[in-house]
Amino acid sequence: MLKKVTTAAAALALTTGIASPAFAELSGTLKIFSDMSNPAPRAVMEKMAADFDAMHPDLDVELTIIDREAYKTQIRNFLSANPPDVANWYAANRMRPYISAGLFEDVSDLWEEPEIAENLASTKGAMTIDGKQWGVPYTYYQWGVYYREDIYNELGLEEPTNWDEFKSNCQAIIDSGRKCFTIGTKFLWTAGGWFDYLNMRTNGYDFHMALTNGEVAWTDDRVRETFANWRELIDMGAFIDNHQSYSWQEALPFMVNGEATAYLMGNFAVAPLRDAGLGLDQLDFYQFPSINPDVELAEDAPTDTFHIPSGAENKEAAREFLRYVVSADVQTEINNGSNLGQLPVNASASVDDDEMLNQGFAMLSSNSPGGVAQFFDRDAPAEMASIAMEGFQEFMVFPDNLDDILARLEQARGRIY
Amino acid sequence: MTEAAYSQSRGREPRPRDGWIHRNRQTLAPLLFLAPGVLFFLFYVIFPIFESFNISFYRWDGLGEPRYIGLENYRELATDRAFEVSLWNNLKWLLLYLLAIPGGLFIALFLNQTVAGIRLYKSLFFFPFVISQVVVGLVFTWFYDPTFGLLNTLLEGLGMSPVNVLGDPTLATYGIIAAGLWPQIAYCMILYLTGLNAVDPEQIEAARLDGAKGWRMLWHVIIPQLRPATFIAFVVTIIGALRSFDLISIMTNGGPFGSTRVLSFYMFEKALSEYGFRMGYGASIAVVLFLIMLCFIAYFLWSMYQDEKGGR
């Protein structure tokens, strides 16, 4: 287990002495548990903690960084047994178990402050359950189709704007001896991304949300329509073979080698693709095109968050830290290309000058009128998500099993909700 | 102490040897020495078993209040297809894993000779057991890789069509069992090698004089003498088969679409993984797994008890 306690640099705070009078004097200890364990996020988190510590000379910031995967199970223990003052988590339905158990603090008061209410409006929905807000976001990123620009140019293809172009592009790519999409479904969630987009484009955001909330039957004809669209791609041979054996990282080489030309993924795939040698003129991004022209475009943009456990001891300092994290300057800083390389949640913050981030930001702020979803496994309850994503994987390998899969999901829906 | 009591106690002239502790020291000493072990065993093994039985009657997410639902979890298990698949896979593991015993025996017989450098060969054969199961899983995953794997390179070289062993729901479990057999055969081999050292040369001599050789010698003279080694090999193989968790987790993560799950993995998924936290349901799977194991444990204990009796 990766675990490291970074103790507060009290000396630094004393020597620099830049306590701003604008802030109320905070004292005591602020314990932060974070899951930002990958190298870049880790540096961001450590810097935020150190800066916040320096701003408040009487306050000791104690940061504990826990491995991101291990965190997902440990949070259950520490929230009830040894709650910190601030903890990382995810937005939407992923918060629900902790809210129902009364382990997260209601921070609706923060969201009433104009500074946050005005600038964070776009993510308010994702932080709201039962009419209250339970935390603040600190970063999010777009999903969409990352494609090999050079291969598209070679084949004379344009970024598709509707479903027919999408399919005809794909046919042209297949005819050139390549696959349209790489994907690795070993860990299931990548297939959830495809379902999210196909369903939101076929039936719209509201339907998608109703489905993930268990209000619509999985055997509904509209759901079948989504799968019918998906099946068109599968029958064309659009996806790489044997995707069920690969993780999402293991699926990257197919795109780097040019055996597949595109990847429906989150923006985090850009860094490894560039590291693998794809240049600026080889990699580009387009929004998943419209399928049903009657529904508004909606996007997946998973949001990572900070929360205050209800058992926290220093809630005053914790609230101040949350205000600090979402402030425009900090948002600009931590989300820039040399740090997280993602999108800031604060509307007054500026987006780093990066080809993908700019496109993603423009897409989410102006071309996603339908709404912004979190991701299948964050919008649906965990158990439904795991059963459904397993069904999606099976569908992608054996599309003929659809009836059986949908019946199974419907049975699970009856039990879970 | 009052004067009377004082004189009374003096009157009895108690000698230290008469103390209760002293009288019972033959019983107490072993009990005291056993106590730490027994306490830990009670707390960490026996108590959790009963606690699992108890939790399996509740619906509980590990955070909120558990709700008593009687046998509801077991009723759900009866209709749960994923559970059925896991149960069958456990059976496949149990049966096919036993191949490690004859496999280990034949390698042991093969290596039980005095040639220059035999120690090196023995250690090479034992090597897979030394490396971690996780590494074995990774090595076999790469070996089976449908695009770059050695297996498919070989098959293509022989002019056969490639197979995606771990991606095919009908083959994946067998692929993992094959990976598991590799270290398990090595383990059984080591057990038999030590067993072969204890084979009585005089009996072999006598059998040879009577004209036994080859298979008859093996079956009627050697194998009966290897009975203790066979018993241990059987025990460790059965336990190994029921514990088959790490290989599955590394090689397929239960997939494709849940076709390689076994009970222990399914329990973990339902109760403790990222999408799980149905503690009651997980506990009911654990109870079923425990009952299956109990059959074997009862047999092992009974068999050991018989041996002890015979030994006296």
Side-chain angles (χ1 to χ4, degrees):
Chain A
M1 183 178 64
L2 289 170
K3 186 168 177 178
K4 185 189 161 202
V5 179
T6 312
T7 359
L12 181 75
L14 280 176
T15 48
T16 48
I18 46 155
S20 153
F23 292 100
E25 274 317 302
L26 299 167
S27 58
T29 311
L30 177 69
K31 280 201 300 180
I32 304 175
F33 282 9
S34 171
D35 68 345
M36 298 161 74
S37 61
N38 294 329
R42 185 188 189 105
V44 167
M45 188 64 232
E46 283 171 351
K47 180 157 190 310
M48 279 201 293
D51 288 352
F52 191 71
D53 190 79
M55 281 161 59
H56 302 280
D58 292 339
L59 185 73
D60 256 348
V61 180
E62 234 175 60
L63 171 66
T64 305
I65 292 178
I66 299 167
D67 173 67
R68 196 167 169 95
E69 290 306 313
Y71 189 93
K72 289 172 183 170
T73 48
Q74 285 185 18
I75 186 173
R76 304 174 71 87
N77 299 334
F78 69 64
L79 277 185
S80 43
N82 173 31
D85 299 307
V86 173
N88 276 127
W89 195 234
Y90 309 100
N93 238 321
R94 274 293 183 94
M95 306 188 291
R96 191 179 286 277
Y98 307 104
I99 293 168
S100 335
L103 293 172
F104 276 166
E105 169 102 343
D106 174 7
V107 293
S108 304
D109 53 319
L110 279 181
W111 285 83
E112 280 163 19
E113 295 170 8
E115 180 70 18
I116 290 181
E118 285 159 23
N119 290 321
L120 269 66
S122 62
T123 46
K124 188 171 183 181
M127 302 308 302
T128 306
I129 284 186
D130 301 335
K132 298 175 185 140
Q133 288 77 44
W134 302 94
V136 296
Y138 67 91
T139 188
Y140 70 139
Y141 52 89
Q142 81 267 20
W143 269 65
V145 183
Y146 295 86
Y147 71 100
R148 284 287 300 268
E149 201 176 354
D150 50 341
I151 299 179
Y152 268 53
N153 289 339
E154 180 196 320
L155 299 174
L157 302 174
E158 297 281 316
E159 294 185 2
T161 52
N162 60 49
W163 185 233
D164 287 332
E165 284 175 31
F166 191 74
K167 284 185 294 185
S168 65
N169 273 359
C170 183
Q171 193 57 53
I173 292 163
I174 292 170
D175 292 342
S176 75
R178 300 177 178 98
K179 293 287 184 183
C180 311
F181 298 103
T182 183
I183 183 172
T185 58
K186 182 175 179 185
F187 295 98
L188 308 177
W189 55 268
T190 46
W194 271 95
F195 178 78
D196 272 352
Y197 273 99
L198 288 162
N199 196 38
M200 284 194 293
R201 293 291 183 266
T202 310
N203 297 307
Y205 175 83
D206 295 332
F207 178 85
H208 187 66
M209 286 296 128
L211 183 68
T212 50
N213 282 326
E215 292 152 21
V216 182
W218 280 91
T219 44
D220 191 288
D221 280 340
R222 290 168 290 179
V223 179
R224 285 181 187 279
E225 219 177 301
T226 300
F227 281 100
N229 286 332
W230 200 345
R231 176 143 197 182
E232 285 188 68
L233 296 176
I234 295 168
D235 288 349
M236 284 168 78
F239 300 100
I240 59 165
D241 297 326
N242 300 318
H243 53 77
Q244 71 270 34
S245 303
Y246 301 117
S247 67
W248 77 266
Q249 293 99 329
E250 287 166 331
L252 288 167
F254 295 98
M255 180 145 162
V256 176
N257 301 337
E259 292 163 48
T261 53
Y263 205 171
L264 177 68
M265 240 317 132
N267 197 56
F268 52 80
V270 173
L273 285 172
R274 284 185 181 156
D275 288 346
L278 292 185
L280 287 175
D281 54 345
Q282 286 180 298
L283 193 62
D284 204 353
F285 171 85
Y286 64 80
Q287 185 174 18
F288 198 98
S290 155
I291 294 178
N292 176 355
D294 299 333
V295 301
E296 291 179 315
L297 296 178
E299 296 298 319
D300 264 347
T303 309
D304 292 351
T305 55
F306 278 107
H307 302 267
I308 305 176
S310 47
E313 277 162 15
N314 200 345
K315 288 182 183 169
E316 200 195 335
R319 281 191 157 73
E320 191 54 45
F321 184 75
L322 263 46
R323 283 188 201 104
Y324 165 79
V325 168
V326 297
S327 64
D329 293 344
V330 174
Q331 278 297 307
T332 308
E333 169 70 18
I334 67 172
N335 284 298
N336 73 19
S338 51
N339 290 317
L340 294 177
Q342 303 195 129
L343 298 170
V345 293
N346 189 315
S348 316
S350 47
V351 183
D352 197 50
D353 189 21
D354 171 274
E355 189 192 359
M356 305 298 174
L357 287 182
N358 282 333
Q359 293 190 58
F361 188 73
M363 173 177 86
L364 287 170
S365 49
S366 62
N367 205 13
S368 176
V372 173
Q374 286 301 307
F375 191 72
F376 190 78
D377 68 356
R378 298 186 189 183
D379 290 321
E383 205 195 342
M384 188 72 234
S386 79
I387 295 175
M389 294 188 307
E390 199 171 289
F392 301 158
Q393 187 200 32
E394 183 174 347
F395 174 73
M396 288 186 73
V397 183
F398 296 114
D400 289 335
N401 294 0
L402 181 63
D403 286 329
D404 185 49
I405 295 167
L406 290 182
R408 204 162 66 216
L409 297 192
E410 179 57 18
Q411 193 197 5
R413 182 180 78 98
R415 182 167 45 76
I416 291 166
Y417 294 97
Chain B
M1 200 181 276
T2 64
E3 188 64 29
Y6 181 68
S7 61
Q8 197 181 16
S9 69
R10 272 190 64 104
R12 270 190 64 229
E13 286 267 312
R15 285 173 307 167
R17 299 173 155 274
D18 283 350
W20 183 85
I21 291 178
H22 189 79
R23 267 183 282 120
N24 293 295
R25 63 180 172 180
Q26 288 290 333
T27 335
L28 279 177
L31 283 182
L32 276 175
F33 280 111
L34 278 175
V38 169
L39 283 178
F40 276 97
F41 188 72
L42 282 176
F43 190 73
Y44 287 110
V45 180
I46 304 295
F47 168 69
I49 290 175
F50 285 99
E51 188 64 16
S52 297
F53 272 92
N54 185 33
I55 292 177
S56 72
F57 298 121
Y58 287 87
R59 171 166 307 194
W60 187 38
D61 66 357
L63 287 172
E65 277 300 299
R67 192 157 58 82
Y68 183 79
I69 52 167
L71 291 173
E72 198 50 53
N73 283 326
Y74 293 94
R75 250 174 247 131
E76 193 187 325
L77 274 186
T79 58
D80 184 346
R81 235 175 0 172
F83 173 73
E84 204 185 309
V85 170
S86 314
L87 207 57
W88 281 112
N89 281 341
N90 257 115
L91 197 67
K92 286 181 198 164
W93 271 90
L94 280 173
L95 290 177
L96 291 175
Y97 226 48
L98 291 177
L99 289 176
I101 297 174
L105 174 63
F106 285 110
I107 296 178
L109 290 170
F110 174 65
L111 290 178
N112 192 38
Q113 44 187 314
T114 37
V115 198
I118 191 69
R119 285 183 173 219
L120 177 70
Y121 302 135
K122 283 180 183 173
S123 10
L124 285 179
F125 272 93
F126 188 57
F127 181 69
F129 186 69
V130 181
I131 54 182
S132 142
Q133 292 261 302
V134 175
V135 177
V136 172
L138 276 177
V139 168
F140 269 81
T141 311
W142 294 328
F143 175 68
Y144 289 139
D145 186 291
T147 327
F148 317 105
L150 198 57
L151 177 69
N152 281 318
T153 318
L154 282 175
L155 286 178
E156 269 171 44
L158 295 171
M160 295 198 271
S161 59
V163 280
N164 180 6
V165 177
L166 296 180
D168 182 338
T170 53
L171 288 179
T173 294
Y174 301 109
I176 304 175
I177 295 175
L181 279 176
W182 190 43
Q184 193 64 28
I185 286 176
Y187 194 9
C188 291
M189 178 201 81
I190 257 321
L191 291 172
Y192 277 118
L193 276 176
T194 40
L196 282 170
N197 279 337
V199 167
D200 184 0
E202 283 178 21
Q203 289 192 28
I204 295 178
E205 197 66 18
R208 200 161 275 160
L209 285 175
D210 287 344
K213 55 187 166 188
W215 288 104
R216 288 169 63 88
M217 171 77 103
L218 177 66
W219 188 252
H220 294 288
V221 181
I222 310 281
I223 290 187
Q225 293 194 60
L226 288 175
R227 208 176 151 269
T230 309
F231 179 70
I232 298 293
F234 184 65
V235 172
V236 296
T237 306
I238 290 290
I239 292 173
L242 288 168
R243 292 196 322 177
S244 51
F245 179 88
D246 21 20
L247 281 176
I248 296 171
S249 172
I250 290 292
M251 293 178 71
T252 61
N253 199 35
F257 15 101
S259 60
T260 55
R261 286 193 193 110
V262 293
L263 289 178
S264 54
F265 190 82
Y266 192 44
M267 171 191 79
F268 169 81
E269 240 184 29
K270 282 288 171 191
L272 301 166
S273 76
E274 190 186 347
Y275 299 117
F277 297 114
R278 293 183 68 197
M279 296 300 178
Y281 198 57
S284 65
I285 301 169
V287 165
V288 173
L289 184 60
F290 173 74
L291 293 178
I292 296 173
M293 284 185 164
L294 201 60
C295 301
F296 289 101
I297 294 167
Y299 165 73
F300 294 150
L301 289 177
W302 178 79
S303 155
M304 279 199 267
Y305 175 70
Q306 294 294 319
D307 277 3
E308 291 259 301
K309 262 202 324 198
R312 264 176 208 168

